[in-house]
Amino acid sequence: MPPIPRSEKDSRVYVGLTGLLGAGKDTVGKMMADLATAHKVHVRCYNLSDEIRDELIRRGQAGDGASRSTLIAVGNELRATFGGGVLAERIIAKERAHIVENGRPDLVIAAGIRNPEEVKTFRKEWGGPFTFIMVAVESFPEARAIRLTARSQYREDAISSSEVEQADQAIGIDACAQMSDWHIRNDGGVEQLQADVYDFFARRIAPVLGIAVPDA
């Protein structure tokens, strides 16, 4: 697919990432950002869970050390109080402020989307004349369990990975996957994942930004 000159098409791309715990959302986001940066693309990255941590800090509580159960409870509280798209709205507001202070990026990545209203909110703000691409990162339960065990994520947490998965599904993560425009599987190792992220970048991001990339 030939690159589209920047003058002929809006040169911004917005990517939303969703996926169950341990699927590899953050890994895919970092690979995508690193690849874009290597092509001299200005990137800004967000994570919806960080918005919950910021809320905890505003309440005078620990943000970085918050347990998964606390993040889930506070996230649900925020959605119940302000609507299902509240975390997306906060990221959108933060990005507007960054544009004023630091200029407009070529690529914005928002990871950790779990609620369909978050997808709708991003699409409403970043769709239309802009380009918003929803990506679902998927992986078999066995592979996700191995990654979570290696991370020892629940060593000091009172909630199990299966309970987190049930909570994410209750929030609407399966619906987010169904709403996605692109699916990346993370079952074949790092090299395969890098190849799949490269394919996504070459097919969906590079043409909009006018970047010519060689075939993988």
Side-chain angles (χ1 to χ4, degrees):
M1 183 181 296
I4 301 172
R6 289 174 183 250
S7 60
E8 296 181 14
K9 192 174 180 66
D10 190 281
S11 60
R12 280 163 278 165
V13 180
Y14 300 86
V15 175
L17 294 172
T18 189
L20 290 169
L21 191 70
K25 300 181 295 295
D26 292 340
T27 300
V28 167
K30 186 178 187 309
M31 286 182 176
M32 203 176 293
D34 289 347
L35 183 57
T37 300
H39 285 84
K40 303 187 184 305
V41 173
H42 181 196
V43 186
R44 266 201 293 269
C45 299
Y46 299 94
N47 192 302
L48 275 72
S49 293
D50 289 339
E51 299 308 306
I52 303 176
R53 294 185 179 94
D54 288 348
E55 175 67 24
L56 287 168
I57 293 172
R58 281 191 287 270
R59 297 180 182 187
Q61 302 175 39
D64 290 341
S67 68
R68 180 61 58 173
S69 55
T70 297
L71 293 176
I72 291 172
V74 174
N76 286 338
E77 177 193 334
L78 290 172
R79 294 184 184 97
T81 303
F82 301 106
V86 60
L87 301 180
E89 291 169 359
R90 292 187 178 190
I91 285 178
I92 289 168
K94 190 174 290 186
E95 173 59 18
R96 287 173 179 165
H98 276 307
I99 289 174
V100 173
E101 296 178 4
N102 306 305
R104 191 180 300 278
D106 301 307
L107 172 63
V108 174
I109 300 172
I113 297 173
R114 290 177 169 83
N115 187 288
E117 291 303 316
E118 294 164 354
V119 180
K120 294 176 183 178
T121 300
F122 281 130
R123 279 188 173 149
K124 181 178 180 180
E125 176 70 19
W126 291 341
F130 309 123
T131 300
F132 177 74
I133 309 169
M134 189 66 195
V135 177
V137 182
E138 300 167 334
S139 183
F140 292 121
E142 296 80 5
R144 290 189 282 109
I146 291 172
R147 295 185 197 110
L148 293 175
T149 300
R151 278 155 48 178
S152 299
Q153 184 162 351
Y154 298 98
R155 184 172 50 196
E156 298 178 357
D157 203 333
I159 188 168
S160 69
S161 58
S162 62
E163 289 174 307
V164 171
E165 186 164 319
Q166 291 172 5
D168 281 345
Q169 290 172 337
I171 295 169
I173 200 164
D174 288 343
C176 292
Q178 293 173 5
M179 298 169 72
S180 294
D181 308 295
W182 193 278
H183 295 255
I184 294 177
R185 287 216 62 86
N186 184 19
D187 297 308
V190 174
E191 290 185 359
Q192 182 60 54
L193 184 61
Q194 288 175 329
D196 291 341
V197 171
Y198 185 94
D199 182 59
F200 170 76
F201 182 86
R203 291 175 179 270
R204 297 301 301 268
I205 296 178
V208 178
L209 299 182
I211 299 170
V213 296
D215 294 334

